[in-house]
Amino acid sequence: MGQFHSTASQEEHGNTDEGTKADYYKLLQVEQDATGDENYGNVEAATKLFAEVQSAYEILSDPQERAWYDSHRNMFIGGGGWEEVDYSYNTRMTTSNELFKLFSRFNPRMEFTDSSDGFYGGLREVFARLASEERTACQWDKIEPTDYPTFGFRDDDFEEVVRPFYAAWTAFSTKKSFAWKDVYRYSEAPDRRVRRLMEKENKARREEAIREFNGAVRSLVAFAKKRDRRYKSNIQSELQRQQVLRQSAAAQAARSRASNLANLRDHVVQDWAQSEDLQEDESDISANEMEHFQETFKGY
């Protein structure tokens, strides 16, 4: 099946054999007798296609991101249908599928700027909106909110902005009730048994929506973290710092071992010297002196 798909794709783009080149007319989807203006008018579509191919390669070449894409592919390409807009707490709620759509913006052509359509500006607005929705939900339900820091700007400090952001958002857990996912109205229950069944089904739908939303936010955070140049540059600096510390610790340990070994050798020499001195002292006692000593204490 994979081979058939590959062959069909090659034929579609004018490449039916690995040894042959692609048909440029088919690649640009223009006729052979097309004018120069017609070719030029197709540049935008070709550029977009090229960016999509680059993005697809970047995702599918990473095992973790490919697994994520496979599990959400239907929603990502729209095959599973997009859910209706969520509206609650007197405000519009960001949906999981809207977050999934954001992944299509992460391609090699995206500029790492603070503008609304740039990497930092766009994500700063997204996470600010998510944090605002969480605060609104907590105020509405009278529960303690979680403080989610800003994504920040391109030149923000790592310790002050970048590290706190990823520390908080990596463990994101929504406090929204997702009550708008309920499909049954309890007032319509004819008896308690049916009401309990309604409550069970509504609860299951809420929990499923919460898990999906948490997963969508955390996936977006991980996706951004991998591409955030502020984070990557700090990690490289941190790795270099750790390497220097390990080398310094190893050198210090080597010096300590050498010092300890030298002290041990000195201690052994002193013990032998003391033993030799004692033997010399004993050898210096004459036989007459020893006999006199024995006679003196003989009576005791």
Side-chain angles (χ1 to χ4, degrees), residues 27 57 59 63 104 144 154 172 207 221 261 264 280 289:
L27 279 176
Y57 176 80
I59 292 175
S104 62
E144 187 68 22
R154 181 184 62 180
F172 175 83
E207 291 176 346
V221 172
L261 183 60
L264 179 62
E280 291 176 357
E289 291 175 333

Side-chain angles (χ1 to χ4, degrees), residues 122-172:
L123 284 176
R124 185 174 61 253
E125 294 177 1
V126 170
F127 287 109
R129 185 170 70 249
L130 292 174
S132 177
E133 292 175 7
E134 291 297 316
R135 287 193 298 271
T136 299
C138 290
Q139 292 173 359
W140 190 279
D141 295 329
K142 295 180 175 56
I143 57 179
E144 187 68 22
T146 299
D147 183 24
Y148 287 107
T150 177
F151 184 69
F153 294 82
R154 181 184 62 180
D155 297 325
D156 278 339
D157 181 73
F158 178 84
E159 293 296 336
E160 294 183 359
V161 177
V162 182
R163 183 191 292 275
F165 170 83
Y166 286 113
W169 284 92
T170 298
F172 175 83

Side-chain angles (χ1 to χ4, degrees), residues 87-236:
Y87 197 90
S88 186
Y89 308 113
N90 288 336
T91 186
R92 185 184 183 281
M93 296 287 105
T94 302
T95 67
S96 300
N97 288 332
E98 286 174 329
L99 293 177
F100 292 143
K101 285 182 178 180
L102 292 176
F103 286 85
S104 62
R105 295 177 56 184
F106 289 88
N107 60 67
R109 295 177 63 244
M110 171 175 275
E111 296 182 352
F112 287 80
T113 66
D114 290 321
S115 62
S116 296
D117 57 351
F119 180 85
Y120 296 104
L123 284 176
R124 185 174 61 253
E125 294 177 1
V126 170
F127 287 109
R129 185 170 70 249
L130 292 174
S132 177
E133 292 175 7
E134 291 297 316
R135 287 193 298 271
T136 299
C138 290
Q139 292 173 359
W140 190 279
D141 295 329
K142 295 180 175 56
I143 57 179
E144 187 68 22
T146 299
D147 183 24
Y148 287 107
T150 177
F151 184 69
F153 294 82
R154 181 184 62 180
D155 297 325
D156 278 339
D157 181 73
F158 178 84
E159 293 296 336
E160 294 183 359
V161 177
V162 182
R163 183 191 292 275
F165 170 83
Y166 286 113
W169 284 92
T170 298
F172 175 83
S173 181
T174 184
K175 292 189 176 181
K176 300 175 185 177
S177 67
F178 280 81
W180 56 89
K181 293 295 184 181
D182 292 354
V183 292
Y184 296 109
R185 296 175 60 185
Y186 302 141
S187 60
E188 297 177 350
D191 52 48
R192 292 184 179 179
R193 184 185 65 84
V194 174
R195 179 185 173 88
R196 286 196 296 269
L197 292 175
M198 287 181 173
E199 291 174 346
K200 183 178 180 180
E201 178 63 22
N202 284 345
K203 181 181 178 182
R205 287 179 176 268
R206 291 188 190 189
E207 291 176 346
E208 180 182 2
I210 290 173
R211 284 194 300 270
E212 183 178 349
F213 187 74
N214 286 340
V217 173
R218 293 171 187 170
S219 295
L220 181 61
V221 172
F223 208 84
K225 185 177 182 179
K226 183 178 179 181
R227 292 155 178 78
D228 192 340
R229 295 178 178 178
R230 304 170 304 177
Y231 187 85
K232 293 167 65 175
S233 62
N234 181 81
I235 290 300
Q236 293 173 354

Side-chain angles (χ1 to χ4, degrees), residues 58-72:
E58 187 175 6
I59 292 175
L60 298 183
S61 61
D62 186 294
Q64 184 179 13
E65 294 183 4
R66 180 174 182 176
W68 174 89
Y69 177 82
D70 289 342
S71 63
H72 298 87

